[in-house]
Amino acid sequence: MASNDLLSRLAELESSTIPANDRSHGYSDLLRTVSEPSSGLQTAENLSAVADSILGDSLGIVAARSLLALFVDTLKGLVDSDVKIAVGQHTLELLQARVVSFADQDACIREVLADAFEASAEHVAAARVLQGIQLDSSQRPISDDDKIRTWIRIVRNYLEEDDTTNAETYLNRAKNLLYKCQDQELQLMFQLSQARILDARRKFLDACQAYHALSFSSVVVEEERLKALSSAIVCAVLAPAGPQRSRTLARLYRDERSAQLAEFGILEKMFLDRLLSPAEVKRFASNLAQHHLAQTADGSTVLAKAVIEHNLLGASKLYNNIGVEELGELLGLPGQKAEEYAARMIEQGRLSGHIDQIDGLIQFDVGEPIERGGSVSASMIMNSELATWDKNVRGVAEQVEKVATLIQSQIAVSNV
C-alpha cells in the first residue's frame, strides 16, 4: 500500500480549490520525490497511486497528458525491472478504456515495459506488450520506419524463444513496408531476422545464403561479419547433402575469411568429400544452437542426419560399389537403415546410383547425380567421367598451388 504521506499529498493535489497550474507543478515535484532512491518512496505501490491520481477525474485530458509524459520519464529512470513491470502493467490497465486519448503515452509505457521484460529475459511477454501499440491509429501518425522498428523488435523477441510462427507473422508485416525504408540499420535487422527464421525452420541452404550475404555488409563491424559467416558455414554443414549443397560449400570454402573460423576444418572436409569422424562431429556439435540439435520425426538429430548423408556421399566418391552391410558399418548404422538413406538420396536426385537388393549391393554411378526423372545414356556417362577427371585434375592443381604458396611464404620468412 502507498505511504500515508503520499496519499495525503495526492488528496491535496486533487482538490478543486488548487489552481490548475499549481496542481501540475505539485505533481511534478511529487514525481521527482518518488523517483529519488533515498526517499524510501520508490515502490510500485507509491508510483501506482500517482498514476491513479493523474488518470482520475480531477485532471483534464490536456493536463493529464503532460503529467503522464513526465510519469513515463520517471518510469524510465527506475533501475528495478520488477517495479517497472508492476507499475507499467497497472498503468496500462488504467489506460485501457482511454487509450484513444492517450495513444502516445500508452505506446511509451509499453516500450518501457518491454525494456523491463527483456531485461528479465521474459521475451514472450515483451513481444506481447509491444503488440498492443496502436500503429494504425488516425489519432497518432507513425512513420513507416517506426512501424518496421516495432515489428522487428517483436520478431526478435519471439525468436529468442524459438517461436518462429509468430516471428514470421510480424516479419511479413515489416516486409510489406521495407521498400519504403531508407534506414540501413533497420534493413540489416530485417535481413538478420529473416536468416534466423530460415535457420530455425531448417531451411538451411536459404539461411546460409542470407547469412553469407550479411557477412559482406559494410554496415556491420568485422567481428559481426565473421559471426554471420560462421552461421553460414554451420547452415551449409547441416543442409541436406547433394549438388546444391556442394555448390554452397564451394562458395564458402573459397571465401578467404573462412580459414579464420573454428568451423573451417569440417567445412574443408565436407567440400573435399572426406569422411567425418565421430570426434570431429562431437567437437562441431559443442558449438551449435539448441534447435540444431533437436530431434527429427525419425528420432535422429539434424546434425546426425546431415553427417550420415555427407559420409554416404563421400563413400560414393571412394567406391564404385559397396555392400549394404559394409556401408552400414562405415556410417555407424544397421545395414537396413543405411540402405534406406541411400534409397532416399537416390530417389531425390542427391545421389547417383542404384541398389541391387538381391545381392545387397549399392552401385554408385560416376559423376554428379542425375536429376529426378532423367535417363542415362552412354554419352552422358562419358561426359560425366570427363567431368570427374577434370575435377580431379583441378583439385590436384589447387593443392599444388597451395603448397607452392606455403613454400614461398616460408622462404620469405627465413630471408627476413
Side-chain angles (χ1 to χ4, degrees), residues 146 236 292 325 332:
D146 287 338
H292 291 148
E325 295 299 327

Side-chain angles (χ1 to χ4, degrees), residues 111-358:
E111 289 176 354
V112 173
L113 195 53
D115 290 337
F117 278 129
E118 288 172 354
S120 302
E122 298 182 43
H123 296 286
V124 172
R128 287 175 178 169
V129 78
L130 289 170
Q131 287 175 219
I133 297 178
Q134 303 291 324
L135 296 178
D136 298 319
S137 174
S138 59
Q139 304 292 329
R140 179 174 175 259
I142 305 173
S143 67
D144 291 329
D145 283 6
D146 287 338
K147 290 181 181 179
I148 294 172
R149 186 174 288 105
T150 301
W151 286 329
I152 289 180
R153 188 177 180 186
I154 294 172
V155 169
R156 297 177 74 177
N157 274 292
Y158 274 127
L159 285 176
E160 290 298 323
E161 298 294 334
D162 292 330
D163 187 349
T164 56
T165 302
N166 282 316
E168 191 168 21
T169 298
Y170 284 90
L171 188 75
N172 289 335
R173 294 189 185 184
K175 185 178 182 179
N176 293 332
L177 290 179
L178 195 65
Y179 70 96
K180 298 181 180 179
C181 178
Q182 301 299 322
D183 189 326
Q184 286 187 323
E185 183 180 355
L186 277 180
Q187 292 177 347
L188 188 66
M189 287 192 293
F190 174 87
Q191 293 169 6
L192 179 59
S193 298
Q194 190 174 45
R196 289 180 63 186
I197 289 175
L198 291 170
D199 186 356
R201 287 189 174 277
R202 300 176 187 171
K203 297 180 179 179
F204 292 119
L205 287 174
D206 293 333
C208 173
Q209 186 176 357
Y211 280 128
H212 199 207
L214 280 171
S215 72
F216 291 108
S217 175
S218 59
V219 182
V220 185
V221 297
E222 180 63 22
E223 183 181 357
E224 295 299 322
R225 288 204 294 267
L226 289 178
K227 284 184 179 179
L229 179 60
S230 175
S231 298
I233 293 174
V234 168
C235 288
V237 169
L238 295 175
Q244 189 175 356
R245 191 191 69 157
S246 297
R247 289 191 292 269
T248 301
L249 290 171
R251 186 168 61 251
L252 292 171
Y253 182 74
R254 294 190 180 102
D255 191 322
E256 296 177 354
R257 302 169 298 165
S258 297
Q260 308 173 37
L261 303 175
E263 297 84 3
F264 181 72
I266 197 168
L267 170 66
E268 184 176 38
K269 277 205 162 186
M270 283 197 158
F271 170 69
L272 298 174
D273 292 325
R274 296 174 182 170
L275 301 181
L276 297 173
S277 67
E280 291 171 321
V281 176
K282 184 177 180 180
R283 188 164 55 249
F284 176 73
S286 63
N287 298 320
L288 294 182
Q290 190 62 37
H291 68 273
H292 291 148
L293 301 173
Q295 289 190 342
T296 58
D298 60 0
S300 63
T301 64
V302 176
L303 175 60
K305 188 175 180 180
V307 170
I308 290 171
E309 290 185 350
H310 166 75
N311 283 344
L312 179 52
L313 198 61
S316 72
K317 308 295 182 182
L318 292 174
Y319 305 102
N320 289 330
N321 56 67
I322 188 172
V324 170
E325 295 299 327
E326 288 75 10
L327 178 62
E329 185 177 348
L330 185 66
L331 300 178
L333 296 172
Q336 183 180 358
K337 195 71 175 177
E339 182 181 349
E340 290 176 3
Y341 270 96
R344 181 166 56 249
M345 290 181 67
I346 292 172
E347 192 274 333
Q348 293 174 350
R350 295 188 287 127
L351 179 67
S352 185
H354 60 272
I355 301 175
D356 186 342
Q357 291 184 317
I358 297 176

Side-chain angles (χ1 to χ4, degrees), residues 30-81:
L30 186 60
L31 281 171
R32 278 192 292 270
T33 304
V34 172
S35 64
E36 293 175 2
S38 59
S39 68
L41 298 176
Q42 189 178 338
T43 62
E45 291 81 4
N46 288 338
L47 288 169
S48 296
V50 174
D52 289 337
S53 181
I54 291 174
L55 295 172
D57 298 329
S58 61
L59 294 174
I61 291 179
V62 176
R65 281 176 180 167
S66 60
L67 288 175
L68 201 56
L70 183 60
F71 179 85
V72 172
D73 292 337
T74 303
L75 198 60
K76 287 179 181 178
L78 297 178
V79 177
D80 193 334
S81 296

Side-chain angles (χ1 to χ4, degrees), residues 9-34:
R9 292 174 66 182
L10 288 173
E12 291 176 6
L13 290 173
E14 291 171 4
S15 173
S16 58
T17 59
I18 300 178
N21 192 34
D22 294 342
R23 190 181 301 176
S24 297
H25 285 302
Y27 275 108
S28 300
D29 295 338
L30 186 60
L31 281 171
R32 278 192 292 270
T33 304
V34 172

